[in-house]
Amino acid sequence: MSLPKYKDLKDYELAEIELQLVKAKKELLFLRIQKANFSRFSPHLMTHTRHQISQLLTRKRSLQTSSIRAK
């Protein structure tokens, strides 16, 4: 499983990015709980989820700055 690509986020709107962020943050919390409970845990999933969150935040910021510039 490879890391998600930033170019896949180019078509997302701000509202959809917000929903994806909430979903990814919940997943990261669930993975942290799994790690703390010593249950079945795949560390690469935490890396992928953190990477996805950072990409979503970057795209969100770029959309916000482009909307400010347009005003």
Side-chain angles (χ1 to χ4, degrees), residues 24-43 45-47 49-51 53:
K25 287 181 179 181
K26 283 182 183 179
E27 183 179 346
L28 187 61
L29 176 65
F30 179 71
L31 290 170
R32 286 181 180 156
I33 290 171
Q34 279 185 335
K35 182 180 177 183
N37 289 335
F38 302 106
S39 63
R40 204 166 214 192
F41 174 67
S42 301
L45 292 178
M46 285 188 79
T47 305
T49 306
R50 276 190 260 129
H51 184 76
I53 290 172

Side-chain angles (χ1 to χ4, degrees), residues 11-71:
D11 299 330
Y12 283 19
E13 296 294 325
L14 194 58
E16 191 173 356
I17 289 175
E18 290 288 339
L19 291 174
Q20 290 293 326
L21 268 171
V22 169
K23 182 180 172 184
K25 287 181 179 181
K26 283 182 183 179
E27 183 179 346
L28 187 61
L29 176 65
F30 179 71
L31 290 170
R32 286 181 180 156
I33 290 171
Q34 279 185 335
K35 182 180 177 183
N37 289 335
F38 302 106
S39 63
R40 204 166 214 192
F41 174 67
S42 301
H44 74 280
L45 292 178
M46 285 188 79
T47 305
H48 287 264
T49 306
R50 276 190 260 129
H51 184 76
Q52 182 183 15
I53 290 172
S54 66
Q55 286 179 334
L56 288 167
L57 289 172
T58 301
R59 181 64 182 150
K60 178 182 171 185
R61 183 67 181 155
S62 68
L63 286 174
Q64 288 173 342
T65 56
S66 66
S67 69
I68 290 173
R69 288 183 193 159
K71 289 183 180 179

